[in-house]
Amino acid sequence: MESQIENAIEIAWNATSDNNLKGQAFEYLDQLRYNSEAWQVCQACISLFTRQQHPSEVVRLVPLEIVNQIIHVQSLPPQSLVSLRDVLLEYIRANYTTNQQSPPDSVGLQNKLTQILTTLFVSLYREGWESFIDDFLTLTTIPGSARPDNIAGVALYLRILSSIHDEIADVLVARQDAQVRVHTDLKDLLRERDVQKIAQSWKDIFGLYRDQDDVIVEMTLKVLGKWISWIDISLIINQEMLGQIFPLIGRTNASGAADKVRDAAIDAFNEIVGKKMRPADKTEMISYLDLRSIISTLIASPPLGDHKGTSLYDTDLAEAVAKLVNTVMADLVRVLEDRATDDATKMKATSLVRDFVPLLLRFFSDEYDEVCSTVIPSLTDLLQYFRKIDSMPEVFSEMLTPILNAIIMKMRYDETSSWGEEDEQTDEAEFQELRKKLQVLQKSVAAVDANLYVDVLSNLVARSFQSLDEQGSQLDWRDLDLALHEMYLFGELATPSQGLGMKTGPPPQASERLTAMMTKMVQSAGVANYPHPAILLQYMEICHRYSAFFEAQSSMIVQVLESFVTLVHHSHVRIRTRSWYLFFRFVKHLRAQVGNVAETVIQSISDLLPIKAEVPNDDADDDMSSDETDNSADAVFNAQLYLFEAIGCISSTASTPADKQALYARSVMDPLFADMEQHLPRAKAGDNQAILQVHHIIMALGTLAHGFSDWTPGSQNSNQRPPPPKALSDEFARAAEAILIALNELNTSSDIRAACRAAFSRLLGVLGSAVLPQLPQWIEGLLSQSSSKDEMAMFLRLLDQVVFGFKTEIFDVLNVLLTPLLQRVFGGLREPISGTDDEIQLAELRREYLTFLGIILNNDLGGVLISEANQGFFEELIGSILSLATEIEPSSGNLPASKIAFSLLAKMATVWGGPDVATISENPATLGSPSPTIPGFDQLILIDRFHLACWQVLSNSQFRPSTDAQTKQVLNEIAGLEQIIYLKTGASFIQHLQSTLFPELGVDGEQFLRNMTTSTDRKTFAKYLQTLKDNKLK
């Protein structure tokens, strides 16, 4: 077997082996793990590993992996594990002692060997290998010596200790309950038997190797850092052990290179400090270790002190020390928050917090963001603790100012940073993420002391504006950017709707300070004309965010508009495109205040309105740019649309006469019409650029219309602006005609259809009921033979809006277009589906089709469904609804549509079933014969078809309302429909139930009738139907 395994490994790992042979070799090796002769396989594998004449490394490594997996997969008997122990111990003693001819194994082999030894430890330490620790501890010394002077043995011993922790004590590893119990017992046994001698071994190793072998010292520190979490702290916190570790923490490296031992020592100390213990013990330990002095010394050391701001600055050391500070501060906050902490301990912890805040702020203010981020968690904890205190002690209040100042200064771009350059986009994004974290901290300070927040921020902004007046463009852009960024954030306190969870609410002076800042920023030409793009962007963002300020200060609007008109032409593409959006948002919010300035604005930005469509490259989809940095042609056009909407907003102010509004609309649209007319022939011929150009023009026309009027037909919102004047509607009727011409010519293009659909929805607000005569053309174009189910569903949603908005005027138009419209929809419903996307689109189309019919019925337009023009289609209409209602198989995904369908059937029954001829009450009664609106509707439709559909579903074995929420909703609709049928047909329905349904179910029907005729809440009847189904219709 040994030779077979060796051959299989060599074939499997030989790059020149035949692929079929390789596959067979891997399969053979994989099957060994489950071989019934597990012990024989282990023997062969261990023999390959321990063979005196070593084979290749892979031939030794793979067998160890097989053995390790066999131990895990198959439960080897204890005697086999003991035999394996003996073989491995013999090998280790022969190869891991000094002066042996055979060199120690490679690191990879040692790691794999360590895994097996750890597995044997878990299985045999309780019984079978009680001397495990002693055996490997003995290996650390040369025979006859009393010191751990066998380097190979020491390294293996430390690897094993590290692996044991990872196996039985690593809290990040998820384990089964049985495993947890075994591992807990093993830790108890280790503490009882061997932990003291292990701790002594660490001291001995430190003593011997501290100045000789950094690799051994680093390994020891890492092992100590792992074990400290579950052994007695006194084994580490003692003069002898600390005397070994302290020099390692403070040692200096003359070369300035990274010192792994020092960093490992700090990490180990961090684990020591972070060990869980009682509050009093924790504060006592922090004081005893004199961590403040240790950390202060490290901060003053050359790598963090003299080299700060240079290339020699040791960021790894800074991060390690920052981690230690973060641990200390987080633990101290936990001590203060613990209700069980006594007053004396709290006083001590408070004093320690005061001592450590400057150290925390040193690393929080570090120029390297990864160092700063290391202490953000504990600073967050501290501020959250402050928020919980009812009355802030002075000692804590004094900390807030330096904390807030540090947060603010950390928000400043550092001296090495630039802005807007492509090669620094990642750094920029990371800095903006850091700013978001800092903003959270700043909010916490504001929540604790709002007055301090207001004073510090407003003073910072005031000083910066004063410096700008004095220095002009010579002022460092980073300082001005910081002031504007803080001004942007200031509104979260000054604007009442924002709120920061403050105990006393925002201070009254906050809004006054913000008003003063805004006034200064607008009146000072220095900000809007500053040469750095970051400042201009901040200026526009602030004007947009605080646009409500200009409602009261309308005299300043013109000045800001002038700045915007300049900035929309900026040479920097990011500033230019962002300004188009912000300009639109600004004028939209202040539409009532801007006055009649449309002509000036249109003339000023007319050079930005010509559309130049660019067909994207094939690799455009690979662009992973964020929205803010995406400068593709498509992104630029999407931003350009905001200019059209802004023109619409600014041209339709209350002070602008209707004829002027129409004139402004015409001045923008006429060039677009000419451009469309020029490109249509090429687009019809299949020119992609021309098609895209027409698409963009249609989008621009729709967006312009939306800017002029966002009126929604049928809306009852009292804040909505009134419908547009007729002169304006007439102008946009020309736009609709132009779009329809393009749609008719190019309706095979899904992009053109999408643009037309978007434009149609926006034109509704300016056309009003004038859109109705055009509806057949819109339907013809938007529901072409090539339209997808998704497009049909979206257009039906638009028609819902049209029907609802013009319900008093649409009957005649709807009467003409309904049958051709539904024929198109039925075509989509009948299309075969392939794949998940098709299934989703079909489900959506079904829902929108049913919803559209519901909108017609709910708006008293049901007559259109049975009119002379459409009555020939009525039978197919009813059949389609019944088909969707009864398709309830879980795999169909149709349950939501089924619910809507049954609801729609109930609505039809109400509309066309005539007056009620029965009552539902404690004393129900039938009142006479049915008199439906449609002759025969009561028997032929309600009883013979609607009622039949209900029981077709109820008798379906896949309909399980007791186990599925969606199915239960369908059942509620069925219950409601059954009761409406009863109300409309009375005694006829009862007679039908008694002669057909009840005999089929084998019940006398009395309970059924009682529930149906007395349950004023249909859910009560639905519960009865569910019980009936569970008992009779399983």
Side-chain angles (χ1 to χ4, degrees):
M1 183 180 285
E2 183 177 332
S3 60
Q4 288 178 312
I5 296 173
E6 183 173 2
N7 289 335
I9 295 171
E10 287 176 344
I11 291 170
W13 269 269
N14 189 334
T16 61
S17 296
D18 177 76
N19 285 336
N20 289 332
L21 277 177
K22 269 191 174 185
Q24 293 174 23
F26 277 119
E27 185 178 356
Y28 169 74
L29 294 170
D30 187 58
Q31 289 175 350
L32 287 175
R33 299 161 189 174
Y34 309 99
N35 195 300
S36 58
E37 298 178 343
W39 175 237
Q40 286 77 3
V41 174
C42 286
Q43 284 180 311
C45 288
I46 292 299
S47 179
L48 276 173
F49 173 69
T50 59
R51 185 193 296 170
Q52 192 163 7
Q53 294 297 321
H54 290 338
S56 65
E57 178 150 334
V58 71
V59 172
R60 301 183 68 214
L61 185 68
V62 173
L64 288 179
E65 175 62 24
I66 292 172
V67 170
N68 196 41
Q69 291 195 356
I70 285 175
I71 298 173
H72 279 96
V73 172
Q74 304 191 43
S75 298
L76 291 178
Q79 60 268 28
S80 297
L81 294 177
V82 170
S83 299
L84 184 58
R85 174 203 70 183
D86 294 339
V87 173
L88 290 176
L89 262 182
E90 182 181 352
Y91 170 81
I92 290 167
R93 285 167 177 160
N95 289 276
Y96 283 82
T97 54
T98 307
N99 300 324
Q100 295 297 315
Q101 291 182 350
S102 178
D105 298 315
S106 68
V107 171
L109 282 170
Q110 286 190 52
N111 287 337
K112 195 58 64 179
L113 177 60
T114 298
Q115 283 184 6
I116 295 178
L117 292 169
T118 303
T119 304
L120 291 174
F121 167 84
V122 173
S123 301
L124 299 175
Y125 184 64
R126 171 175 287 280
E127 185 177 355
W129 200 353
E130 296 86 342
S131 61
F132 184 95
I133 298 297
D134 289 331
D135 289 341
F136 288 99
L137 196 51
T138 302
L139 194 68
T140 63
T141 63
I142 297 174
S145 170
R147 303 187 305 162
D149 45 8
N150 177 19
I151 292 182
V154 169
L156 183 62
Y157 167 69
L158 293 171
R159 286 182 196 281
I160 291 170
L161 291 181
S162 180
S163 180
I164 287 173
H165 166 84
D166 294 343
E167 179 65 28
I168 70 172
D170 190 342
V171 295
L172 298 179
V173 178
R175 298 178 176 86
Q176 300 293 332
D177 290 344
Q179 269 187 313
V180 172
R181 286 192 293 271
V182 170
H183 293 167
T184 301
D185 290 344
L186 285 172
K187 285 188 286 186
D188 290 341
L189 274 176
L190 276 167
R191 285 188 280 256
E192 180 185 330
R193 293 177 183 172
D194 292 315
V195 160
Q196 289 197 350
K197 64 182 76 169
I198 291 171
Q200 183 58 49
S201 74
W202 295 335
K203 296 177 191 176
D204 296 340
I205 292 170
F206 283 137
L208 182 59
Y209 292 98
R210 196 172 72 193
D211 300 319
Q212 293 185 21
D213 193 317
D214 280 0
V215 173
I216 294 294
V217 175
E218 183 186 357
M219 289 178 70
T220 309
L221 287 166
K222 288 182 176 179
V223 170
L224 184 151
K226 288 181 174 183
W227 281 58
I228 187 60
S229 63
W230 53 279
I231 64 174
D232 187 348
I233 191 71
S234 64
L235 295 172
I236 306 300
I237 305 297
N238 56 68
Q239 288 297 333
E240 191 177 357
M241 183 69 84
L242 294 176
Q244 298 287 354
I245 300 175
F246 278 147
L248 299 174
I249 292 175
R251 81 179 195 176
T252 57
N253 189 331
S255 66
D259 189 335
K260 291 184 177 180
V261 169
R262 180 198 57 208
D263 293 349
I266 295 171
D267 287 340
F269 227 68
N270 184 53
E271 296 299 328
I272 294 169
V273 173
K275 183 176 173 65
K276 292 181 180 179
M277 56 185 72
R278 294 186 303 110
D281 295 338
K282 175 68 72 171
T283 53
E284 186 62 36
M285 181 186 69
I286 293 172
S287 299
Y288 173 76
L289 294 175
D290 197 13
L291 289 174
R292 180 191 177 193
S293 297
I294 294 172
I295 294 169
S296 298
T297 302
L298 287 169
I299 290 173
S301 66
L304 300 185
D306 298 343
H307 298 161
K308 189 178 181 183
T310 72
S311 59
L312 295 176
Y313 185 67
D314 193 336
T315 54
D316 290 337
L317 175 61
E319 203 165 343
V321 180
K323 188 177 177 183
L324 178 57
V325 172
N326 186 70
T327 300
V328 173
M329 184 61 77
D331 281 349
L332 288 172
V333 172
R334 274 192 285 272
V335 169
L336 291 170
E337 288 180 328
D338 192 336
R339 293 182 178 179
T341 304
D342 60 82
D343 291 343
T345 302
K346 280 195 174 183
M347 287 181 63
K348 195 167 191 176
T350 299
S351 177
L352 288 168
V353 167
R354 183 184 58 201
D355 293 342
F356 273 88
V357 162
L359 304 178
L360 183 146
L361 294 180
R362 154 64 182 85
F363 291 104
F364 178 80
S365 304
D366 196 278
E367 64 178 300
Y368 291 93
D369 293 343
E370 58 268 29
V371 177
C372 166
S373 297
T374 303
V375 296
I376 285 179
S378 63
L379 182 55
T380 303
D381 292 345
L382 181 64
L383 292 173
Q384 291 298 326
Y385 170 67
F386 288 169
R387 293 182 68 168
K388 297 173 186 175
I389 302 175
D390 293 330
S391 178
M392 278 275 285
E394 186 178 351
V395 65
F396 290 149
S397 298
E398 292 172 351
M399 300 175 190
L400 285 175
T401 299
I403 288 173
L404 180 57
N405 287 331
I407 295 170
I408 291 171
M409 291 315 298
K410 193 61 191 174
M411 286 197 178
R412 183 182 185 274
Y413 280 95
D414 63 43
E415 299 299 332
T416 61
S417 62
S418 55
W419 186 94
E421 295 181 9
E422 284 192 18
D423 57 348
E424 295 207 7
Q425 285 182 7
T426 301
D427 291 343
E428 168 76 11
E430 289 175 352
F431 179 63
Q432 294 305 328
E433 282 301 310
L434 177 63
R435 272 188 165 180
K436 290 177 183 176
K437 294 179 183 177
L438 297 172
Q439 181 184 352
V440 173
L441 294 174
Q442 201 164 278
K443 284 181 179 181
S444 296
V445 175
V448 175
D449 191 339
N451 290 318
L452 172 68
Y453 180 88
V454 168
D455 289 342
V456 170
L457 263 66
S458 56
N459 289 338
L460 169 75
V461 174
R463 287 196 304 271
S464 297
F465 284 166
Q466 184 177 352
S467 299
L468 179 63
D469 289 342
E470 296 170 355
Q471 302 176 34
S473 60
Q474 298 304 310
L475 176 66
D476 192 325
W477 71 269
R478 297 170 185 83
D479 293 327
L480 186 53
D481 172 82
L482 174 64
L484 292 174
H485 180 67
E486 292 294 356
M487 185 173 164
Y488 183 85
L489 300 181
F490 190 82
E492 294 183 350
L493 178 68
T495 307
S497 61
Q498 298 287 334
L500 294 174
M502 292 164 292
K503 301 166 188 174
T504 57
Q509 71 268 29
S511 58
E512 297 172 9
R513 298 282 181 91
L514 179 60
T515 300
M517 291 183 217
M518 287 294 297
T519 303
K520 178 64 177 175
M521 184 190 78
V522 174
Q523 290 180 343
S524 169
V527 178
N529 296 318
Y530 195 86
H532 196 281
I535 304 305
L536 303 176
L537 190 58
Q538 289 271 33
Y539 170 80
M540 292 186 291
E541 296 281 2
I542 290 170
C543 288
H544 163 232
R545 181 168 205 185
Y546 303 128
S547 52
F549 160 80
F550 296 98
E551 293 176 4
Q553 304 291 334
S554 56
S555 60
M556 298 185 187
I557 294 177
V558 172
Q559 188 174 348
V560 175
L561 283 176
E562 290 173 354
S563 298
F564 264 114
V565 167
T566 301
L567 294 172
V568 295
H569 292 87
H570 199 278
S571 59
H572 195 295
V573 64
R574 181 174 164 190
I575 298 298
R576 188 168 64 252
T577 54
R578 181 64 177 167
S579 71
W580 295 346
Y581 167 74
L582 295 171
F583 174 53
F584 154 65
R585 296 297 303 172
F586 183 77
V587 298
K588 182 178 182 181
H589 184 89
L590 297 170
R591 177 186 258 162
Q593 286 82 23
V594 293
N596 192 6
V597 295
E599 188 170 355
T600 305
V601 171
I602 293 173
Q603 289 174 354
S604 300
I605 67 173
S606 60
D607 58 316
L608 299 173
L609 299 181
I611 293 170
K612 299 175 183 176
E614 295 180 24
V615 179
N617 298 325
D618 293 338
D619 59 351
D621 290 340
D622 296 333
D623 184 13
M624 298 298 288
S625 306
S626 66
D627 290 342
E628 283 194 4
T629 58
D630 186 1
N631 300 324
S632 65
D634 192 45
V636 171
F637 170 68
N638 287 333
Q640 187 183 17
L641 288 176
Y642 290 119
L643 290 176
F644 287 97
E645 194 162 359
I647 287 174
C649 289
I650 211 167
S651 301
S652 56
T653 61
S655 60
T656 307
D659 59 331
K660 285 285 188 182
Q661 293 187 34
L663 175 65
Y664 299 148
R666 192 182 317 128
S667 69
V668 176
M669 288 194 292
D670 281 348
L672 295 176
F673 294 155
D675 196 10
M676 181 186 288
E677 186 177 6
Q678 179 184 348
H679 282 83
L680 261 179
R682 284 172 44 213
K684 192 175 180 182
D687 185 308
N688 288 335
Q689 191 279 331
I691 292 172
L692 190 61
Q693 184 76 11
V694 173
H695 167 277
H696 285 7
I697 293 169
I698 293 169
M699 291 295 293
L701 289 170
T703 306
L704 179 69
H706 193 253
F708 268 95
S709 175
D710 54 6
W711 173 69
T712 303
S715 173
Q716 304 300 317
N717 188 345
S718 59
N719 295 323
Q720 184 173 250
R721 299 173 71 234
K726 184 176 184 304
L728 185 63
S729 295
D730 291 344
E731 285 299 325
F732 278 100
R734 296 172 58 224
E737 290 169 6
I739 293 171
L740 282 170
I741 291 171
L743 178 59
N744 183 55
E745 298 282 343
L746 305 172
N747 72 349
T748 55
S749 167
S750 60
D751 288 339
I752 293 295
R753 293 197 302 271
C756 291
R757 190 167 53 249
F760 174 74
S761 69
R762 292 169 176 176
L763 283 166
L764 289 176
V766 286
L767 292 180
S769 59
V771 78
L772 298 181
Q774 297 177 338
L775 268 184
Q777 292 174 264
W778 286 105
I779 292 172
E780 180 69 26
L782 292 175
L783 297 185
S784 72
Q785 297 300 321
S786 49
S787 294
S788 68
K789 290 185 279 291
D790 194 38
E791 289 181 69
M792 292 182 186
M794 286 190 283
F795 187 63
L796 285 174
R797 274 198 294 274
L798 281 177
L799 288 182
D800 291 347
Q801 181 183 347
V802 174
V803 171
F804 175 73
F806 303 111
K807 54 192 168 189
T808 59
E809 305 161 83
I810 199 174
F811 186 95
D812 291 338
V813 175
L814 193 60
N815 193 39
V816 173
L817 62 81
L818 185 66
T819 293
L821 169 66
L822 293 183
Q823 284 174 337
R824 296 285 177 87
V825 173
F826 285 173
L829 291 172
R830 285 192 291 261
E831 283 179 6
I833 60 173
S834 58
T836 306
D837 288 346
D838 264 4
E839 290 177 2
I840 293 171
Q841 288 188 13
L842 177 61
E844 184 67 16
L845 179 57
R846 286 170 167 176
R847 289 194 295 270
E848 291 303 331
Y849 160 62
L850 295 168
T851 302
F852 174 65
L853 295 178
I855 292 287
I856 290 175
L857 290 170
N858 289 329
N859 287 282
D860 299 325
L861 294 168
V864 79
L865 298 174
I866 54 174
S867 69
E868 185 176 351
N870 298 304
Q871 63 184 1
F873 205 67
F874 186 70
E875 172 58 32
E876 191 172 355
L877 176 74
I878 293 293
S880 69
I881 299 169
L882 289 170
S883 175
L884 292 174
T886 55
E887 188 176 340
I888 49 82
E889 289 74 14
S891 59
S892 69
N894 193 59
L895 283 171
S898 175
K899 173 183 177 294
I900 300 172
F902 273 114
S903 173
L904 188 59
L905 293 175
K907 183 65 180 177
M908 287 178 165
T910 302
V911 172
W912 294 317
D916 291 351
V917 293
T919 62
I920 296 175
S921 65
E922 291 184 9
N923 299 301
T926 54
L927 308 174
S929 300
S931 53
T933 304
I934 304 172
F937 189 78
D938 54 326
Q939 181 65 44
L940 298 176
I941 302 295
L942 292 182
I943 295 177
D944 291 351
R945 302 187 68 179
F946 288 11
H947 166 65
L948 181 63
C950 294
W951 287 92
Q952 185 179 337
V953 170
L954 286 169
S955 60
N956 191 321
S957 61
Q958 297 189 61
F959 186 70
R960 303 185 184 95
S962 58
T963 60
D964 179 73
Q966 281 190 324
T967 308
K968 196 166 189 175
Q969 291 177 342
V970 174
L971 178 64
N972 286 334
E973 297 298 336
I974 289 174
L977 177 56
E978 287 281 83
Q979 288 189 309
I980 291 175
I981 294 173
Y982 159 69
L983 289 172
K984 300 301 179 183
T985 61
S988 300
F989 187 44
I990 293 175
Q991 183 180 356
H992 178 82
L993 293 173
Q994 290 171 334
S995 63
T996 58
L997 179 65
F998 299 157
E1000 289 176 11
L1001 296 178
V1003 297
D1004 62 10
E1006 183 181 346
Q1007 191 176 8
F1008 181 100
L1009 292 174
R1010 185 169 61 253
N1011 276 277
M1012 182 181 72
T1013 60
T1014 61
S1015 300
T1016 53
D1017 181 358
R1018 69 178 183 179
K1019 288 184 180 179
T1020 305
F1021 183 42
K1023 288 179 182 177
Y1024 167 75
L1025 290 177
Q1026 181 172 323
T1027 304
L1028 181 65
K1029 175 172 176 56
D1030 292 342
N1031 295 332
K1032 297 288 184 179
L1033 300 169
K1034 294 180 181 178

